[in-house]
Amino acid sequence: MADNKFAAYLCAGCGLGEVLDFETLEKVAKREGKMQVIKRHDFLCSAEGVQTIRDDIANEGVTHVLIGACSRRAKTDAFDFPQTPMARANLREGVLWVVAPGTDHDEVRQEMADDYIRMGCAELKKMAVPAGNPDCASNKRILVVGGGMTGLTAAIEAAETGYEVLLVEKQAQLGGWAAKLHKRVPFREPYAEPQDTGLAELIARVEAHPKIGVHLASTLAETAGAPGRFAVKIATESGAVTQETVGAIIQASGFSTYDLAKLPELGGGLPGVVDQAGLEQLAKAADGGAIQRADGQAVNSVVFVQCAGQRDETGTHLPYCSGHCCATSVKQAMYFKDANPDVDTVVLYTDLRMPGMGEDFYRSAQTKGVIFTKGKVSTVTAAGSGCNVNFRDLILNEEVTLGADLVVLATGQVPNSGVNIDLVVELATEEQASGDQAPAEATPVATPVDLPPSILNLTYRQGPDLPQLKAGLTDSHFICFPYETRRTGIYAAGPVRRPMDMLQATDDATGAALKAIQAVENAALGRAAHPRSGDLSYPIVRLEGCTQCKRCTVECPFGAIDEDERRFPVFNESRCRRCGTCMGACPVRVISFENYSVDTVGSQIKSLDMPDEFSERPRILLLACENDAYPALDMAGLSRTLYSAFVRAIPVRCLGSVNTIWITDALNSGWDGVMLMGCKRGDDYQCHFVKGSELAHYRLSKIDDTLKQLSLETERVASYEVAITDSQRVAALINDYAETIKRIGMSPMKGFN
């Protein structure tokens, strides 16, 4: 610390100098913040202002920099000093633009600005430059698991970018489901006719590419390691095993069709009933001629039943729509009309979903004579050599029976996700005995029968395959990071992560390939992957203070922490997303990052000039997730949406990183209330770190006991779910909470400080 030189640079631009008392700000930075260099500039983000800072770093020995100006999310290119710890005091979006102008507010606005300078100085004193991951791994080869349209596209896209690719396919030939199709739904102009799949050309490109190695009739026997150094064992049907090292993995294991046998009410098992995959086989056999049933019977009438075993609200069948089925039925109806216009073709649907240019395709089918009827099918029964389809016509509101030689059921996609960890584990009750730990990840304890084969065979303590959603789809952040799973460096693409058609799957494959490339490049530089891409910090643990409680290992959403033989945590930095969940989980606070720790936030909480209990000027601490809540606060400032000047916002990497000691310290220090704002949790979560908001909610459920011990009202701690677009709502939440504090009164803890 003696060799460090701390400097504060204050910007008077954007109207700050016209409203705030900069002489007071400078005094706060010097006397309370102990800044050794203090400079004011009219436009700090200008080339001249930035050069002033660079010159002081280079020539004056400045080692730590505080920027008192705009939000930390603004001017990041200008204020870029990679080898210098830097803190930001948000005076523009966080003070100037959110406190009403006028003399009545001048004093509280100045207090707000003074506090943000105090907080910035306190944070800066606890920061260091991240040294980077000491365990870098430089393998940049990409493994693609699955040789269907998705896997082939991912492989060729990565290889064409210059990266080596290993492609593993469990079948003896490439192609997957695409190889079973007669034609595909059109994906280019004129969108009027079924088109060739293009699979043969794609396979030829893959097999001829010098950077792609193909393993057919092979599976993954074991996957270990981390980004940049995954060790995989590839097993063939003959039993031979090859070990390879790769930098990132793309799981493109595709889907299976929903089992017809589970739909006896819709004729599953009858000779005149097939699913869409079965019809493709018949169409391929016909090769453009008249399509016959498998028993050789001619087809003069065919009925397509949409949503067969899909969009089911009872929990018996698939709860979701498989997306492609409507367009696929239109395509297959055209098979019959193109071969013989006299074949009666009827598509029964409740909702016909034709995204993109599908409307043109639908109109083309109508022109060919395909009939579309809005109806809800109840049963399909045998009738002579054919079938009767019984349904309620939703337009005429009457029961109708329609005869058909062939019935085609749109049964939907079931992802080939491997083993669902929820079926093979039970929660680790030992760690939850104290009642403080959330059930973030489970510990394998048993293996029931009738499990699907594992796809990846991961050696992770959390299970052999990627975490799944309730429907069995591979868990990935569907809004912000669609390909990214909870296993860093492993990406899901195609129908394994959500139902989709062939065009969507190829787009998905391209995105996953790009993310895999980003992962191997970051791993080689020791940097974090998404969403803190490029972050060089990583967890540091003081093992001498560790109590071996295992909360960090269990709560880490990404499987980045294992245990050694003494049960101490072992951090796998390459898997780490730098969310800080482990830091929030640690009861003895021995886990930290160089630039983000219990101390960097805790020192800010304790740095304020706390008004006494008679001032009627409460202080409300707001811990805001940097991914959604803090940007929403910034946008509130940009739109000049006013909120209470009694709030002090501290951005946190994720609500999962919030250590309850911060809340206890705040209450003990006289803060009148604590607000937490994070992303939406639950099945349709929006948390960038998947489990952060859920974990924070669980931990906060225990705060009431602390409040009661301190004889404080439970309203003094509140948690909210917000989205990045909630700029108006966050301001309203702050103002409403300020009214709540006004109603219950100032904290009695102020008298003890």
Side-chain angles (χ1 to χ4, degrees):
M1 183 70 72
D3 295 331
N4 291 330
K5 189 172 185 178
F6 298 89
Y9 299 90
L10 308 180
C11 179
C14 298
L16 289 167
E18 301 167 13
V19 176
L20 299 179
D21 182 349
F22 269 72
E23 290 185 2
T24 300
L25 293 178
E26 291 170 352
K27 289 178 182 178
V28 169
K30 183 175 182 178
R31 296 176 183 176
E32 300 180 45
K34 307 300 182 185
M35 296 289 105
Q36 295 148 284
V37 176
I38 301 171
K39 293 186 178 181
R40 186 194 316 182
H41 197 280
D42 288 338
F43 291 100
L44 192 59
C45 62
S46 66
E48 179 187 353
V50 172
Q51 191 59 47
T52 298
I53 302 174
R54 296 192 185 281
D55 289 344
D56 286 353
I57 294 172
N59 305 321
E60 303 299 328
V62 168
T63 60
H64 291 64
V65 170
L66 170 67
I67 304 292
C70 46
S71 168
R72 63 168 59 192
R73 300 177 61 253
K75 306 295 182 182
T76 54
D77 290 339
F79 301 129
D80 180 24
F81 314 109
Q83 301 304 315
T84 304
M86 180 179 65
R88 302 280 295 268
N90 189 354
L91 303 181
R92 188 180 70 175
E93 291 88 342
V95 181
L96 177 66
W97 288 349
V98 295
V99 180
T103 56
D104 293 343
H105 299 278
D106 288 347
E107 190 173 354
V108 291
R109 183 193 298 108
Q110 186 64 40
E111 289 177 356
M112 197 179 191
D114 293 346
D115 279 344
Y116 276 128
I117 293 297
R118 292 185 181 99
M119 294 161 68
C121 292
E123 179 187 20
L124 188 64
K125 292 291 182 66
K126 301 293 184 179
M127 295 175 68
V129 176
N133 184 358
D135 193 18
C136 296
S138 57
N139 190 297
K140 296 183 180 181
R141 187 161 49 168
I142 295 170
L143 170 67
V144 178
V145 183
M149 184 64 77
T150 306
L152 291 167
T153 302
I156 199 68
E157 294 285 12
E160 288 289 280
T161 315
Y163 291 82
E164 291 187 20
V165 177
L166 283 180
L167 192 153
V168 175
E169 165 57 44
K170 68 178 181 179
Q171 301 297 332
Q173 63 283 326
L174 297 171
W177 276 106
K180 302 176 183 179
L181 301 183
H182 175 50
K183 297 283 187 180
R184 67 180 288 177
V185 172
F187 62 102
R188 59 175 178 262
E189 294 178 344
Y191 301 102
E193 304 289 340
Q195 296 175 357
D196 186 76
T197 63
L199 181 64
E201 295 83 353
L202 182 58
I203 291 176
R205 287 181 64 196
V206 167
E207 292 180 332
H209 204 289
K211 287 188 174 295
I212 301 177
V214 178
H215 294 258
L216 296 176
S218 302
T219 57
L220 296 187
E222 181 179 288
T223 303
R229 51 182 173 83
F230 286 110
V232 296
K233 294 181 180 178
I234 303 173
T236 65
E237 290 181 347
S238 64
V241 176
T242 303
Q243 183 155 329
E244 302 282 358
T245 302
V246 297
I249 300 171
I250 298 172
Q251 181 175 330
S253 46
F255 69 95
S256 301
T257 55
Y258 192 66
D259 189 356
L260 270 178
K262 295 180 179 180
L263 299 169
E265 70 279 8
L266 296 183
L270 295 178
V273 177
V274 297
D275 59 9
Q276 291 179 325
L279 183 61
E280 290 292 336
Q281 294 179 7
L282 299 178
K284 286 200 75 171
D287 194 23
I291 297 174
Q292 297 180 338
R293 292 187 351 184
D295 58 9
Q297 179 178 319
V299 177
N300 296 309
S301 58
V302 57
V303 174
F304 294 86
V305 177
Q306 300 308 105
C307 302
Q310 300 187 71
R311 301 174 66 194
D312 179 58
E313 298 178 353
T314 68
T316 305
H317 304 298
L318 301 179
Y320 50 81
C321 166
S322 291
H324 76 94
C325 313
C326 291
T328 297
S329 288
V330 172
K331 175 192 72 172
Q332 293 180 338
M334 287 189 184
Y335 290 168
F336 290 95
K337 286 296 186 181
D338 289 342
N340 181 2
D342 293 330
V343 174
D344 292 330
T345 56
V346 178
V347 177
L348 287 174
Y349 67 94
T350 53
D351 300 287
L352 199 63
R353 297 178 174 180
M354 304 287 290
M357 300 303 294
E359 185 71 13
D360 292 346
F361 195 43
Y362 163 72
R363 296 296 180 193
S364 177
Q366 282 187 317
T367 302
K368 291 174 183 286
V370 178
I371 297 173
F372 295 88
T373 299
K374 190 174 178 65
K376 178 68 174 177
V377 177
S378 55
T379 59
V380 176
T381 57
S385 61
C387 299
N388 280 336
V389 181
N390 306 299
F391 67 98
R392 171 164 285 278
D393 189 308
L394 298 178
I395 302 297
L396 301 176
N397 195 28
E398 62 183 24
E399 296 295 329
V400 179
T401 297
L402 192 62
D405 296 323
L406 183 67
V407 176
V408 184
L409 303 182
T411 54
Q413 298 176 338
V414 179
N416 295 330
S417 300
V419 179
N420 188 342
I421 194 65
D422 291 334
L423 300 178
V424 299
V425 301
E426 61 186 20
L427 297 178
T429 55
E430 176 183 350
E431 290 83 5
Q432 298 178 53
S434 64
D436 293 332
Q437 182 182 316
E441 289 279 7
T443 302
V445 294
T447 303
V449 295
D450 300 327
L451 289 175
S454 175
I455 304 296
L456 299 178
N457 279 299
L458 295 167
T459 59
Y460 288 45
R461 69 184 300 277
Q462 291 83 0
D465 282 295
L466 301 175
Q468 299 173 24
L469 302 174
K470 284 186 177 180
L473 298 161
T474 296
D475 188 2
S476 62
H477 197 296
F478 74 101
I479 294 179
C480 299
F481 311 110
Y483 325 104
E484 299 166 1
T485 72
R486 278 195 262 161
R487 301 295 172 253
T488 308
I490 304 178
Y491 300 89
V496 72
R497 74 170 190 85
R498 72 168 179 83
M500 60 182 71
D501 61 25
M502 193 180 296
L503 177 60
Q504 292 170 323
T506 53
D507 289 344
D508 219 50
T510 302
L514 292 174
K515 294 304 297 185
I517 290 170
Q518 183 189 53
V520 297
E521 293 295 341
N522 277 329
L525 297 173
R527 305 189 306 191
H530 46 85
R532 296 187 59 84
S533 183
D535 188 354
L536 285 170
S537 68
Y538 60 91
I540 298 172
V541 58
R542 290 188 298 104
L543 292 180
E544 64 273 16
C546 177
T547 61
Q548 302 168 308
C549 69
K550 299 206 302 185
R551 292 180 188 174
C552 58
T553 60
V554 172
E555 292 194 15
C556 176
F558 307 111
I561 310 174
D562 293 313
E563 299 157 19
D564 63 18
E565 63 279 359
R566 298 175 298 165
R567 297 183 64 191
F568 283 118
V570 176
F571 287 81
N572 191 321
E573 290 86 1
S574 297
R575 296 182 189 171
C576 176
R577 306 276 179 92
R578 280 66 165 178
C579 61
T581 296
C582 54
M583 188 177 84
C586 182
V588 290
R589 301 180 293 284
V590 297
I591 301 173
S592 63
F593 300 78
E594 294 102 322
N595 55 359
Y596 181 67
S597 66
V598 173
D599 283 344
T600 61
V601 176
S603 60
Q604 294 181 71
I605 293 172
K606 298 174 184 177
S607 67
L608 265 65
D609 181 17
M610 186 65 65
D612 62 39
E613 58 186 314
F614 306 108
S615 68
E616 297 185 356
R617 291 182 178 175
R619 291 294 180 262
I620 299 169
L621 173 63
L622 171 54
L623 299 173
C625 166
E626 70 177 11
N627 297 301
D628 273 14
Y630 201 73
L633 288 171
D634 277 353
M635 285 190 282
L638 287 168
S639 62
R640 307 305 196 270
T641 303
L642 307 181
Y643 58 76
S644 172
F646 299 133
V647 73
R648 305 291 184 265
I650 298 177
V652 295
R653 291 187 178 181
C654 175
L655 281 196
S657 71
V658 173
N659 196 294
T660 54
I661 192 62
W662 294 341
I663 299 173
T664 303
D665 284 350
L667 296 172
N668 282 327
S669 299
W671 288 82
D672 300 283
V674 179
M675 302 178 73
L676 287 87
M677 288 187 180
C679 307
K680 183 178 181 180
R681 64 183 186 279
D683 293 337
D684 55 348
Y685 66 86
Q686 295 180 22
C687 176
H688 289 52
F689 295 108
V690 185
K691 290 290 184 179
S693 291
E694 179 182 319
L695 290 165
H697 177 76
Y698 186 89
R699 294 172 193 155
L700 283 178
S701 67
K702 310 298 179 181
I703 288 294
D704 284 358
D705 293 337
T706 300
L707 292 169
K708 291 175 182 178
Q709 291 173 6
L710 296 173
S711 299
L712 295 174
E713 299 86 350
T714 55
E715 295 96 324
R716 294 198 184 274
V717 178
S719 179
Y720 305 93
E721 295 180 3
V722 300
I724 195 171
T725 54
D726 286 344
S727 58
Q728 302 296 313
R729 180 168 170 262
V730 293
L733 290 173
I734 290 171
N735 290 331
D736 290 346
Y737 189 74
E739 287 299 315
T740 298
I741 295 300
K742 181 179 179 181
R743 175 177 54 82
I744 64 178
M746 304 282 276
S747 171
M749 302 300 292
K750 292 180 184 294
F752 298 95
N753 292 282

